[in-house]
Amino acid sequence: MEGRKAEEVVDGSITRPMSRPASGPARRPEDAPSTETETPESPEDISSVTTWRVPARDEEPPAGETTTPSLSVVIVSGSLDSHPRLSSMVETLRAQQPAPEEIVLAVVDCPDLVIWAEATLDDVVVVHGREVTGPASARNRGLARARGDVLAFLDEDSSPEPGWSESLLAAYADDDVIGVRGRLAVRWSAGKPDWFPIELAWVLGVPHTGSPAETDQIDDLYGGAMSFRREALAEAGGFPEEPERGAGDVGAEPAGGIANELRSRLRELRPGAKLLQQPSAIVRLNVPASRARLSYFLSRCMAEGRSQAGVPQRASGRGGLSARLTPIRRGLPRAVFRAVTFTGPADVKGWKALLVMFLSLAALNLGYAAGRLRTTRADGPVRRPNIWAWLLARTALPVAAVLWGLSLRRVDLDRMTDLGLITVLPPTFWAAIVVMVAGFVTLLGDRQALELWHAGYALVLIAMLHATPALLYPSLRYSWAWKHVSVIDYLIRHGATDPQVGPLSAYHQWPGFFSFFALMTEMAGLDNALSIAAWGPAVFNTAMLLPLLLLFRTVTRNRRLVWGAVWIYFSCSWVGQDYFSPQATTLVLYLTVLAVVVRRFRRGPIRAGDDPQGLAAEPPPVSGTATRLVWTCLLILPIAAIASSHQLTPLVLTAGLFALFLLRRHRNLGILLVTGLTVVAWDALAAWQLLENRFSDIVDSLGDAGGNLDGGFIALGSASPGQVIVAYADRALSGGLWLLATAGAFLRRGWLRRPGLPLLMIGLSPLLFLAAGSYGGEIVFRVYLFTLPLTALLAAAFLLPSRRVWVRALVLPLVFLLMVAGFFFGNYGKEQANYFTAGEVRLIREVYRVAPSGSLIVAPTFFLPAAYDHYERYDHIWLDELPPSRTAVRNLPPYVPTLPELIKVPLPSLVSLMEKVPPGAASYLVLNRAQKNAAETAGIFPRGTVDRLSREVAASDRFTVVTRTSGGVVYRLLPERPKAPEKPQAPKKPQVPEKPQASEKPQVPEKPQASEKP
């Protein structure tokens, strides 16, 4: 079709009911400033106009007489090349019957066009000004100047057909009609592109396919040839304005988000008013070559997505985006069929149209995502930031990252004291923290900043907090992470679980985490999961960022509060449960499930509460039964993964969903039953053995909240001075966070009672588990972890948003710095025991190389690398786990010493413990570098106990050295030597022995049973 004009009538739109969002106060026409002068020297700032004055008619009709409403036409133009088309359009408008009462030309950033129009176009009102930046603002200038009862808006590339004005005004005979949309006939100046699918006609301002062929009501203002009652449009405040396209694209329709928000305002002000489609009011749209390029179409799709993201009512914005996506999605099957079968219109190539549809889908979604990052929801008026603050917020992040990288080049880990990693980090590391805190606090005050900057600060904070050990340490940190790697290695070797296998049977009864990473290790072609585990903390915390943002944005739209809560969450998550573990994995899934439930499972209304600071987010849309069913099916997999991977998290998730069920807005029995039944089914069918063995312990700890709390704290009287400081820092950070959260809850109690109620219920439900069991002495730390999203948001709500400069400049940076310092005390305060050298790793590997199957591995504590490698072949005894007394364990074997007996007489107690091994096996004592720090700094053994044990073993003839490295030494217990025979006496006269009977045989000692183990 190159070189010829093609004209086609594209009418209609896919209309869908959209939720009516809340809007601001009505704009009354009588309060607006006058707009009598239209000169560049005294421009009217339309973007700040909130009220409008409707120019009065010259004459009023007599009482009781009906008249045809008068018509004013506003033409938007911004190109000097358009003057031939403008001259033709003006003549066409004057030839209409009835002719428009007035014609207004709104010029966008083109002084030469203003001069030409004023000199050439007679009886045409020309309006212009520096504030006219796009189609919406230009239309608002025309609205302020026009005098007709009805305002029709056209652009420089459109031209009405004969009879257009008559058909248009006929629709306004009904007084309830406030807006009428005509019908567009598209004409391509350079020929229709062979890639153009009809589903993208809205890019040209044409309503979507499927609009009514006859006069009928519509619920979508998008499209060209729109007209409004002047009074209604002025009352709504005109077209919402935003940063718009340049003068080169003013011919296009305002973005869909503008029309979407205008529709919401009109519905709010006049609920019973009508919006009509008038197919007989035809306007011909001439599409120039500049608007027929693929790049133009894709840029318009991006702009449309950004526009919908900028609608203040998010539900309305999502609906507007869906209205653009729906025709494309529905047309994809037809486009695929045409592309494969080479059918369809002769002037469209199927494969090109299909490709363009996919590109447009991507552009729409990408634009919407970018727009969501740019929006500042209810943060108040946006002011241009100070240039120095702007510069600090954007340079502090890269500077901090560089300083952090430089600080890790020379760190002497051997100089570490009992205060942990904090004692060996150089000053440049702390300088990086200070710079980043200063930049982040400054960024929180910049409401124009792209939220990618906030995300960048959060990611660099996670890297500094959790990737530092992975970059510094020569091996995997933390003995529990090594144990989890050993379980994964077992599954790789055997391909199945074994619930009966030794002390790690619990992991085989909740194997979800281990099975998944065993599969990932094999798929990656790795020998083991050590390289994966080393980066576990950084990866898990990064994965938590998105569900945290979703949770926080569900209850507040203030982005300073959201990102401040994110910072507090990561800097106060000191309990160390984010290492390579089932708890870290299930925590990510736990937050994800809850974020989906609070955002996609809303059923009932939300009563408005006190929110003077404007913190409340727009409630998520009410979901239907089908939507909830789909999401429930999608959530079955993460719920099953949680239930099969961890003992505590499924119970906390069930409690959180039950707490939400108590709220009318989230009363979803289906997802609660699915979660509860999944947890019960797994515990009853797969994990019943462990629960049966520990049932009595669980019952004994029920209701003992005080005992469960005390079980998690170390005895400060026997700990080293450094560990006492670490313990007090832990408690100060936790207590300070809860104090800030309590103060924030009181300060924002009005917001918390309504919009923040779902997060409040989720955050408080884990407190019930303080009285449900000790969980091995760790329940207080797990409860702190599960309540952290709530406490972080409430603590941020106490500090943010704040209008006091001294709070933002002094208090906030100091609090954030103290939180990060407290994190390093709490999370890395025991690094003398958690850090393993390469020599320690070689030491343990050598033990497993020489030890025969069935051997016994003994060590003062569990703090050694690869402690459980090949655990199905060996037995393990950790001396710190010996019973405190003979009565503490029923039927304690006599050869097993108690902990006080071992401390009193180390060598005999150790020999007695290690002698009981099956034939062919051996007993090994491992004394690595981390043992002394782990046992004595925490007060498990009195100071000097490990050194005394080492000296006595080295001096004993019962032990021999198996291997020695820079990381420690391994001893093997030798069999007890037989006693020397007594000196023989003088021989007596021998007696001839009696000949034995044939039936008598010599006695052979019985062979010990292989099953005998200590």
Side-chain angles (χ1 to χ4, degrees), residues 368-430:
Y368 184 79
R372 285 293 299 271
L373 289 173
R374 284 183 176 275
T375 53
T376 55
R377 308 292 185 180
D379 272 352
V382 178
R383 298 177 181 177
R384 185 175 297 276
N386 178 275
I387 183 61
W388 296 109
W390 184 94
L391 188 63
L392 174 61
R394 285 153 182 80
T395 58
L397 181 61
V399 169
V402 171
L403 289 175
W404 173 58
L406 295 175
S407 69
L408 303 182
R409 294 187 303 168
R410 298 179 181 178
V411 177
D412 187 2
L413 297 173
D414 294 332
R415 294 176 50 249
M416 193 183 304
T417 69
D418 57 353
L419 285 174
L421 186 62
I422 197 172
T423 57
V424 295
L425 293 175
T428 49
F429 182 89
W430 302 109

Side-chain angles (χ1 to χ4, degrees), residues 129 168 255 347 388 454 498 563 686 875 888 1003:
L168 189 70
D347 57 349
W388 296 109
H454 299 78
D498 183 4
W563 288 105
D875 290 321
Q1003 298 288 330

Side-chain angles (χ1 to χ4, degrees), residues 75-88:
I75 306 172
V76 179
S77 181
S79 172
L80 185 60
D81 298 336
S82 64
H83 62 82
R85 298 189 299 274
L86 291 176
S87 298
S88 175

